[in-house]
Amino acid sequence: MTTPAPMPPCSFLPPGARAPDAAPWSSEDAETWRAAGAPRWARPRVVAWGMTLVLLVCLILALVAADSGPVCTETAPCGTEWVGYAVVAFFVALPYWCLRLPGVAVWMLPVASALALTGVFDADMPDAPADLVGTWLMVAAPLLALVAVVVRLRARRRRRALFLEATQGRTAPLPQGFGRDGRAVRRLCAGALLLAVAGGLLAWGAIVTSASDARDAKATRTVATVLEAVDLDEGDGGTVRVRKAAGGEQTLTSLYPLDHPVGSRVTVLSDEGPPRLAVERYDAVGQQLSALPFLVTGVLLLAKGLQLHLARRALRRGEQPVLRVFAAGHFMWQRLHAVTDRELAGAAVDCAALAYGEVVWVLGEPEEGPGEEGEEGEENEEEDHGEHPAWCGEAVVHGVLAEGAEIAVLQSCLPLLSLLNPLPPGDTADTTVGENALVVAMTVGGSDSREGANPAAAVADGLR
């Protein structure tokens, strides 16, 4: 068990920081802001994990139901399923929408219930209890998640209104120097690359499927009777032995041999290649499964990158509401308290700072500053300061405090200096070296807490 380090001395903004005239955040306003948050059952991680669990249960039920119905028929032969593939990709992305982008989830969740509802009255659906249970579960779960997302968005609006009321209408422009959000650029580029890979795999599957269908259309069709069906039970199908009407026997490979009982009639396709069953066309499921993680991840990265880009553009445009707070943390994560809460005992807002490239120095230059292309999420693992912050002091928030919002915080340079030159536990920082100020871009966390909880776990809840 680590011994918490003593509270470091309070740091003040240097005069050269030219801090805007911001109203102080009182303890009463901070407690009111905290009380306006979403209930625990509507928290992002709860809803996202709930949707993930529902999807896994429905997948198991669908696999069980698949064994009770016909896989391939003459009227509905097997083959590449593109519509079903798009629906699967849509449902796989639902937990992420609920976790990171509730504004998107509020539109996607009703669509998910509608898509699941169309399967309830599908005449071709196998009459299996497992399939019915899974279908109705996928109808109800998105609707319940929608309720939680709406509650979460309403909590966001309440907190925005309370924050704007606390600022007393005071605004100020963001200090010069903030460019485009590096996270947004990286996500957009990575998303485009992943979608290109997914598009190549799906195009490969579409081309092969089209060529196979054209070949089947030109093949000679012969009706045959099944004499024997052998299932290899190795996940690779089996064989079907048939007798043609004109005489002679043939052994054909089959993905679903048990779907062709002895005595049933099947259609055999013959051409220059090996003979095959007409009900089992080429299936590009291999290409589809290979493309699925690239496709879903690419779409999610593009959506998040676009959101970050729009949030940064809105933050840089015009004057922003400003509020004076008391900040404490380890630079990569911070908590914003009321100005008078020097003991860090009241309500707190969990925030995660961004990359070094998102830091703008507003007064002077540090002796050893970070490079412009710093690593995002880099942390100091050499020293463990327990639950107490390595730095605390006055700060000014530019933007609006609400879950998931992007803000900029003007503060002393001591958080960065303490990260570059960590102090042993028990030592205190020399505040006389903090003659510089900086602005740090931050993301407001999805939870709020009080001092004594694990800050790292709190910051991880609802952040990017």
Side-chain angles (χ1 to χ4, degrees):
M1 180 176 179
T2 59
T3 302
M7 287 286 294
C10 178
S11 172
F12 298 94
L13 287 170
R18 299 179 295 277
D21 182 19
W25 201 23
S26 66
S27 298
E28 293 77 11
D29 289 339
E31 291 291 346
T32 303
W33 187 94
R34 180 180 185 273
R40 290 187 178 276
W41 59 268
R43 294 288 175 85
R45 294 175 65 183
V46 175
V47 179
W49 279 110
M51 282 302 305
T52 303
L53 180 61
V54 169
L55 291 176
L56 291 176
V57 172
C58 291
L59 176 61
I60 295 174
L61 294 176
L63 294 176
V64 173
D67 295 334
S68 61
V71 179
C72 304
T73 63
E74 293 287 347
T75 57
C78 294
T80 305
E81 179 60 49
W82 294 110
V83 176
Y85 179 75
V87 173
V88 169
F90 175 83
F91 276 95
V92 170
L94 282 181
Y96 184 86
W97 302 133
C98 297
L99 180 65
R100 306 298 187 206
L101 299 172
V104 178
V106 77
W107 297 100
M108 296 299 181
L109 290 170
V111 176
S113 291
L115 290 174
L117 188 61
T118 57
V120 175
F121 305 103
D122 189 355
D124 297 330
M125 182 186 64
D127 187 13
D131 192 82
L132 291 175
V133 171
T135 300
W136 283 112
L137 185 61
M138 278 311 305
V139 172
L143 295 180
L144 295 176
L146 178 63
V147 174
V149 170
V150 171
V151 170
R152 176 182 170 191
L153 293 176
R154 288 174 63 87
R156 277 188 178 186
R157 288 194 291 268
R158 287 195 303 268
R159 284 182 161 179
R160 289 178 62 90
L162 291 172
F163 179 85
L164 292 175
E165 181 181 353
T167 62
Q168 302 176 11
R170 301 182 186 182
T171 60
L174 198 67
Q176 297 294 326
F178 269 96
R180 296 180 179 179
D181 193 334
R183 301 171 304 157
V185 175
R186 287 189 289 272
R187 281 165 173 77
L188 290 173
C189 293
L193 179 61
L194 292 177
L195 285 182
V197 175
L201 291 172
L202 294 178
W204 172 29
I207 292 173
V208 176
T209 300
S210 178
S212 178
D213 291 344
R215 176 188 170 193
D216 291 346
K218 299 177 181 180
T220 302
R221 294 174 173 265
T222 305
V223 177
T225 304
V226 177
L227 299 178
E228 182 186 25
V230 179
D231 187 5
L232 298 180
D233 197 22
E234 296 178 358
D236 296 327
T239 60
V240 174
R241 187 164 58 88
V242 300
R243 177 187 292 119
K244 294 183 179 181
E249 297 183 1
Q250 284 183 321
T251 300
L252 313 174
T253 59
S254 173
L255 291 175
Y256 314 102
L258 298 183
D259 291 332
H260 310 291
V262 176
S264 62
R265 292 183 175 274
V266 295
T267 301
V268 179
L269 300 178
S270 302
D271 52 16
E272 66 277 4
R276 56 201 178 275
L277 295 172
V279 296
E280 297 183 6
R281 297 179 180 176
Y282 180 82
D283 193 350
V285 64
Q287 293 91 328
Q288 289 179 330
L289 292 179
S290 299
L292 185 62
F294 296 100
L295 177 64
V296 174
T297 307
V299 171
L300 300 183
L301 286 175
L302 284 180
K304 186 61 178 179
L306 180 60
Q307 184 213 32
L308 293 173
H309 170 72
L310 295 177
R312 174 56 61 86
R313 188 173 66 175
L315 189 63
R316 295 168 55 198
R317 182 180 299 172
E319 296 191 349
Q320 298 294 325
V322 290
L323 190 67
R324 188 174 294 273
V325 298
F326 188 76
H330 289 270
F331 183 71
M332 295 309 297
W333 62 263
Q334 294 191 23
R335 280 176 172 170
L336 307 181
H337 299 256
V339 171
T340 56
D341 188 12
R342 302 301 175 90
E343 299 298 326
L344 311 181
V349 184
D350 295 311
C351 299
L354 308 183
Y356 294 153
E358 305 297 333
V359 175
V360 175
W361 297 90
V362 297
L363 176 66
E365 293 292 338
E367 294 181 0
E368 294 182 8
E372 295 181 357
E373 300 294 334
E375 294 290 335
E376 182 176 337
E378 187 173 335
E379 298 179 356
N380 173 45
E381 300 180 354
E382 296 180 359
E383 300 291 343
D384 184 2
H385 296 282
E387 296 178 351
H388 280 274
W391 168 90
C392 60
E394 294 181 349
V396 176
V397 174
H398 292 257
V400 179
L401 286 182
E403 179 254 321
E406 301 294 324
I407 60 175
V409 180
L410 173 66
Q411 57 188 220
S412 167
C413 69
L414 286 180
L416 183 57
L417 295 180
S418 64
L419 182 67
L420 297 175
N421 301 289
L423 298 175
D427 289 1
T428 58
D430 184 5
T431 57
T432 60
V433 303
E435 296 300 328
N436 300 305
L438 50 83
V439 180
V440 184
M442 297 185 184
T443 302
V444 182
S447 65
D448 45 274
S449 59
R450 294 178 181 272
E451 182 64 18
N454 186 350
V459 169
D461 183 11
L463 292 183
R464 46 184 173 73

